[in-house]
Amino acid sequence: MSIRPYREIIRRKSRQIFVGDVPVGGDAPITVQSMTNTLTSDAKATIAQIQALEEAGADMVRVSCPDEASTKALKEIIRETRVPIIADIHFHYKRGIEAAEAGAACLRINPGNIGSPDRVRDVVKAAVDHNCSMRIGVNAGSLERDLLEKYGEPCPEAMVESALNHARILEDNDFFNFKISVKASDVFLSVAAYQGLAEACDYPLHLGITEAGGLSSGTVKSSIGLGMLLWSGIGDTIRVSLSADPVEEIKAGYEILKSLGLRRRGVTIISCPSCARQAFPVIKTVEMLEERLAHIQTPLTLSIIGCVVNGPGEARETDIGLTGGGKDNHMVYLSGVTDHKVATGDMVDHIVGLVEEKAAELEALNADGEMNEAPAAKRIA
């Protein structure tokens, strides 16, 4: 029993698959992914965007493959990037075969949509031959007509039935190397569908609130839906779907996981909203620190509090802390203990230096990189 049981998340027990060399499900950390919005046939632009996503911390990246020009570009794209690439396939089975042959690590495909049993077998064979996993991606906006007629509207039961129908096709072909998603733009529908699917199977689940909206509104909406599911132990890989730069999806995904203690990457800043008591410009200071510390990947905590009301208490719980004080003298805390003072004009440069020094120290202590992942949460047997 943890000394803080209120923080425990008991993760659903799922089977584990691999997307390239990245484990998904089982005891693996929850992965964060995004999708490019360039023309995949424009290999140069797509490579540049994937590299930006890699820099932001993406564990895998999906690219759309609607035509032969896109699958032809995949070889170069995969050769020039590091993360596993997921090929998004709709309807045409040959695109799935071509993507697997080009080196895609995963196919996002609904086997019931690509034609005859022979075509499904051909795609499965290509996936097996090229060590390629799959994702069954059910979306409330594109449910099968017979299910809409049966249930009258997109509903959790219809989405779960669709997912299991597609899964059965792969199972009948002796293929089990897949994960499943049941996405909707409605938070309630998405959460209920994932809850039902989590009870109905043990396949790893890819979470997302689809078409969530713009950067601000979409992040809030996704945080509510994904947060509810992750807190209840459901989910093995996530995407925050935003009408924004795909890099923002990775940032939001990590922030969601960090807030629940499921993944740790980079600096977690605890800061106050500021008020008349602030002894330095808190909002401007935090903005500058977020920008200048974005390159830090080592997980550590930093508190930036404008006054002594909550500052000392927050600083006790963080690696580095700053609390506003009078007469342009602000207290710096190291490992929760008061250490020295700093003036407002020197504050940002000084804190950046301390964080970089602390990050280097932690990296040296844990050179194998395991520090970048939070310990695996408990799982439901």
Side-chain angles (χ1 to χ4, degrees):
M1 175 71 70
S2 168
I3 62 171
R4 297 183 179 90
Y6 58 88
R7 288 185 178 178
E8 287 186 344
I9 292 177
I10 302 175
R11 287 180 62 190
R12 162 184 172 267
K13 187 175 182 179
S14 62
R15 66 177 71 190
Q16 187 172 93
I17 68 168
F18 279 81
V19 177
D21 59 357
V22 176
V24 175
D27 289 322
I30 296 169
T31 54
V32 180
Q33 57 183 277
S34 181
M35 185 175 183
T36 57
N37 56 23
T38 55
L39 285 175
T40 307
S41 55
D42 184 346
K44 184 177 180 181
T46 303
I47 289 166
Q49 194 167 78
I50 293 171
Q51 289 173 340
L53 290 166
E54 290 173 340
E55 184 67 24
D59 296 300
M60 57 193 77
V61 175
R62 179 158 51 111
V63 301
S64 183
C65 292
D67 48 40
E68 193 173 356
S70 297
T71 54
K72 280 185 175 179
L74 270 185
K75 273 191 178 180
E76 181 183 354
I77 292 167
I78 291 166
R79 185 175 64 245
E80 297 298 326
T81 54
R82 302 189 308 273
V83 294
I85 300 299
I86 302 164
D88 194 74
I89 308 296
H90 287 281
F91 306 121
H92 207 303
Y93 80 106
K94 285 188 177 179
R95 303 293 86 81
I97 295 171
E98 292 161 1
E101 291 174 344
C106 181
L107 305 178
R108 189 277 193 190
I109 194 166
N110 286 349
N113 293 345
I114 59 174
S116 68
D118 287 344
R119 291 182 173 182
V120 174
R121 279 194 293 271
D122 288 345
V123 174
V124 168
K125 184 179 185 304
V128 171
D129 289 347
H130 298 279
N131 195 28
C132 186
S133 60
M134 294 189 190
R135 170 162 75 91
I136 293 170
V138 173
N139 192 303
S142 56
L143 279 173
E144 296 88 331
R145 183 177 299 174
D146 63 319
L147 291 175
L148 290 175
E149 291 175 354
K150 177 180 177 179
Y151 290 99
E153 64 176 1
C155 63
E157 294 79 10
M159 295 176 71
V160 172
E161 185 170 333
S162 175
L164 296 179
N165 287 343
H166 289 298
R168 199 168 297 115
I169 294 171
L170 295 181
E171 292 168 345
D172 289 345
N173 281 273
D174 200 31
F175 188 86
F176 303 91
N177 188 25
F178 61 90
K179 56 186 185 288
I180 308 177
S181 65
V182 280
K183 297 184 181 182
S185 58
D186 180 273
V187 171
F188 296 97
L189 178 54
S190 290
V191 170
Y194 277 111
Q195 289 170 335
L197 186 60
E199 293 180 1
C201 71
D202 70 345
Y203 290 108
L205 300 184
H206 166 82
L207 301 188
I209 306 298
T210 195
E211 290 115 22
L215 178 58
S216 178
S217 60
T219 297
V220 171
K221 191 174 182 180
S222 295
S223 298
I224 293 169
L226 300 188
M228 291 171 67
L229 290 165
L230 292 166
W231 200 341
S232 65
I234 296 171
D236 302 287
T237 181
I238 67 171
R239 180 196 176 189
V240 179
S241 297
L242 302 175
S243 301
D245 185 333
V247 167
E248 298 296 337
E249 298 187 349
I250 300 300
K251 293 178 180 178
Y254 270 103
E255 289 302 323
I256 291 170
L257 294 178
K258 282 164 65 176
S259 70
L260 293 171
L262 292 168
R263 283 286 292 270
R264 296 184 63 208
R265 184 181 192 275
V267 182
T268 299
I269 299 180
I270 292 90
S271 61
C272 66
S274 79
C275 69
R277 293 191 306 267
Q278 65 179 344
F280 61 86
V282 173
I283 294 174
K284 182 179 179 182
T285 300
V286 171
E287 287 176 351
M288 290 189 289
L289 287 171
E290 283 182 332
E291 181 179 348
R292 292 188 55 183
L293 296 175
H295 66 288
I296 301 290
Q297 298 184 17
T298 308
L300 56 86
T301 52
L302 168 67
S303 59
I304 305 293
I305 309 295
C307 76
V308 296
V309 174
N310 293 321
E314 294 292 352
R316 280 197 301 268
E317 305 299 322
T318 53
D319 294 305
I320 298 169
L322 176 70
T323 295
K327 299 181 180 178
D328 198 30
N329 273 308
H330 314 301
M331 181 59 71
V332 175
Y333 297 72
L334 300 180
S335 300
V337 179
T338 56
D339 193 271
H340 59 276
K341 292 186 176 181
V342 65
T344 303
D346 302 325
M347 201 165 51
V348 171
D349 287 342
H350 186 66
I351 293 298
V352 169
L354 290 174
V355 170
E356 291 177 336
E357 183 180 326
K358 182 67 174 179
E361 175 190 327
L362 292 172
E363 288 170 6
L365 288 172
N366 217 333
D368 61 3
E370 290 179 1
M371 60 180 294
N372 289 320
E373 302 298 348
K378 291 186 176 181
R379 291 186 171 272
I380 300 171

